[in-house]
Amino acid sequence: NHDEYRAEVYQATGMISQQLKIEPAEALARLRAYSFATDTRMFVAARQVIDGRLMLQDDRGGAK
């Protein structure tokens, strides 16, 4: 179901946003980039985030 997949992507985006302390738009971009780079469908990557099997890393660098 398309709506179910969309909901999972939004939920995963929120989780990434909270985890990395970034805006939701950047979190969605990171999820898309991961999906593209690993040739994984977006809803599959989202499900991995929701299930705790995928945690994207904070690669921003810089002074803390």
Side-chain angles (χ1 to χ4, degrees), residues 1-15:
N1 182 326
H2 183 68
D3 290 335
E4 183 178 321
Y5 295 148
R6 182 177 294 192
E8 288 182 342
V9 169
Y10 283 121
Q11 182 178 354
T13 297
M15 291 173 69

Side-chain angles (χ1 to χ4, degrees), residues 13-61:
T13 297
M15 291 173 69
I16 295 166
S17 176
Q18 287 295 324
Q19 174 195 354
L20 299 180
K21 311 257 186 290
I22 57 177
E23 293 296 318
E26 183 178 346
L28 180 58
R30 286 173 179 253
L31 185 61
R32 281 186 179 135
Y34 172 85
S35 179
F36 178 79
T38 61
D39 197 27
T40 304
R41 296 184 63 117
M42 276 282 284
F43 74 90
V44 172
R47 175 48 56 193
Q48 291 173 342
V49 170
I50 293 166
D51 290 345
R53 294 181 286 134
L54 172 63
M55 293 185 70
L56 300 181
Q57 300 299 313
D58 186 352
D59 61 359
R60 290 175 286 180

